[in-house]
Amino acid sequence: MPSLFQPVEFGALTLSNRIVMAPLTRARSNREAIPNALMAEYYAQRAGAGLIISEATGISREGLGWPNAPGLWAEEQVEGWKPVTEAVHGAGGKIVAQLWHMGRLVHPDLGGGQPVSASPTTAPDYAHTYEGKKPYVEAREATKQDIKRIVGDYAAAAKDAIAAGFDGVQVHGANGYLVDQFLRDSSNFRADEYGGSIENRLRFPTEVLEAVGGAIGMDRVGIRFSPNIYSQGVEDSDPIPLFAALAQRLEELRVPWIELREAHQPTSAGAVPTEPVSPAMRPLYSGKIALNSDYDGPSARARMAEGIADAISFGRPFISNPDLVERLRAGAPLAPGDLATFYSGGASGYVDYPTMDEAEAA
Ligand SMILES: Cc1cc2nc3c(=O)[nH]c(=O)nc-3n(C[C@H](O)[C@H](O)[C@H](O)COP(=O)(O)O)c2cc1C
């Protein structure tokens, strides 16, 4: 079995190790969703990862409902990302952009109109807005024209990602956002060819992947799912057959890598995970699989040894351990993160976590 420290190919990308930085929204952009120099510093500090997956990045104004999250639909955003990707490359790393449409989770205050989703549904809980939390509003069912436009937005954002210097993209298909809203039977009640059967529920993600692959080459495309957790009101009554069919589809499409947020314990949101889907997907999909959620060094090694994962992605550990790869190599303890600064804006709790050497010197 390969170790975490051996190289691996994710399509066109050769990763120098199998420790992936999971996508982490950190809300440090401005209201126009433009990235900045602070973000370049943050990502460059974490360039030891075999691959950095960027924080979720809006493909359109309509699709972005998180205050101070970045985007990839305007020229200024592309320009803002360039120093970020240059800094990561300068530090020897690789970075892909996570492409995000939040669907029904976009509040009109941010998206500018009634949100779209697979079906007219309302997400549970509260939306984040610049004026604090507000109840979600009911989404309208995406028309065929909406679907065509949104698929086009994904492709345009993927092209913008390459123009901004990213090594590729990851389609955000996880956590109850638009792709997930189409995929699952708790949020997709459509009667047309985009809803109902598994085959129909795969149609939207398939069209997105075909468009993005067509725009930048499928060898630079990955996708993320969260198959076995309830997330923001989205789940499935029968995940195993759905994700087995999805694995076959990803194989046909030649998507070179996927990331699964496959929880093994209750999530921080309290959702209890159902059976893992990766054992059912592995025999049907020959691309690379990165597994995520709640790993540390020993549990990551143990999971790699089971032969399903080609890589392990780490989220929270990368927030508070910029040199996570070196710490895992040394078997050193991991520093805890400060939840209060996860989304707070500013440098504090963002670029000031020390490396092992800096901590020792202090
Ligand atoms: C602060 C924070 C921001 C996150 N932002 C994103 C995101 O932008 N996109 C995404 O797919 N998942 C996001 N997640 C989920 C993480 O990628 C990851 O799945 C989760 O933290 C579990 O992995 P871990 O146990 O290694 O932290 C976020 C999680 C946290 C804690």
Side-chain angles (χ1 to χ4, degrees):
M1 281 303 145
S3 95
L4 282 170
F5 305 100
Q6 276 174 294
V8 63
E9 276 170 27
F10 277 23
L13 312 186
T14 302
L15 282 49
S16 61
N17 60 61
R18 295 165 184 245
I19 298 162
V20 172
M21 179 170 160
L24 292 162
T25 292
R26 302 303 310 278
R28 260 71 178 183
S29 299
N30 65 9
R31 284 195 183 207
E32 283 69 51
I34 300 172
N36 52 50
L38 190 65
M39 291 166 62
E41 185 182 349
Y42 163 79
Y43 280 111
Q45 287 174 345
R46 287 152 182 80
L51 180 65
I52 295 173
I53 302 168
S54 83
E55 63 205 280
T57 298
I59 61 165
S60 59
R61 180 74 277 167
E62 162 201 287
L64 183 59
W66 196 285
N68 296 116
L72 261 175
W73 69 84
E75 189 50 43
E76 299 79 2
Q77 295 160 351
V78 173
E79 290 307 313
W81 276 117
K82 281 181 183 169
V84 177
T85 59
E86 276 163 22
V88 170
H89 292 150
K94 291 205 158 59
I95 181 166
V96 296
Q98 191 186 44
L99 302 184
W100 200 23
H101 192 303
M102 295 171 61
R104 69 181 189 175
L105 294 161
V106 182
H107 193 276
D109 283 6
L110 281 91
Q114 189 184 8
V116 289
S117 186
S119 298
T121 59
T122 309
D125 305 323
Y126 293 91
H128 298 269
T129 79
Y130 286 105
E131 288 146 21
K133 290 185 176 181
K134 294 189 179 178
Y136 285 110
V137 305
E138 189 182 66
R140 63 183 177 82
E141 177 173 302
T143 62
K144 299 267 171 68
Q145 241 178 336
D146 289 322
I147 291 175
K148 219 173 156 193
R149 175 175 48 78
I150 293 167
V151 167
D153 288 342
Y154 274 102
K159 278 193 185 159
D160 280 349
I162 298 301
F166 283 100
D167 297 292
V169 302
Q170 181 193 58
V171 174
H172 195 340
N175 302 350
Y177 296 109
L178 186 64
V179 171
D180 215 16
Q181 290 161 28
F182 270 89
L183 202 53
R184 313 297 197 101
D185 62 10
S186 77
S187 49
N188 184 341
F189 305 104
R190 297 176 74 99
D192 66 2
E193 67 268 34
Y194 290 93
S197 65
I198 285 179
E199 176 67 22
N200 283 353
R201 283 185 280 134
L202 292 184
R203 198 172 309 280
F204 180 68
T206 300
E207 289 182 2
V208 169
L209 285 167
E210 282 173 341
V212 168
I216 65 168
M218 199 61 98
D219 58 349
R220 294 192 178 273
V221 179
I223 188 163
R224 168 178 244 231
F225 300 102
S226 51
N228 72 334
I229 51 171
Y230 169 91
S231 197
Q232 313 200 77
V234 174
E235 62 184 338
D236 207 84
S237 61
D238 204 3
I240 302 273
L242 173 65
F243 282 89
L246 182 62
Q248 262 164 334
R249 178 59 50 83
L250 297 168
E251 181 74 11
E252 286 158 17
L253 291 170
R254 296 179 176 275
V255 175
W257 66 278
I258 63 174
E259 185 199 12
L260 301 177
R261 180 183 187 177
E262 186 171 76
H264 290 264
Q265 57 194 56
T267 66
S268 49
V272 180
T274 56
E275 205 183 332
V277 301
S278 59
M281 293 181 84
R282 179 71 286 179
L284 301 168
Y285 176 65
S286 64
K288 299 298 190 295
I289 299 181
L291 289 183
N292 169 252
S293 196
D294 302 292
Y295 290 103
D296 58 13
S299 60
R301 281 192 197 94
R303 182 47 42 86
M304 291 283 292
E306 286 172 15
I308 291 177
D310 299 287
I312 300 291
S313 78
F314 296 82
R316 288 161 297 174
F318 259 116
I319 292 180
S320 45
N321 299 274
D323 56 344
L324 181 65
V325 174
E326 289 318 311
R327 288 188 196 227
L328 295 180
R329 204 192 295 272
L334 302 185
D338 174 15
L339 261 73
T341 50
F342 276 9
Y343 308 107
S344 61
S348 174
Y350 189 54
V351 292
D352 54 0
Y353 285 106
T355 61
M356 284 189 292
D357 291 348
E358 286 163 351
E360 232 170 70

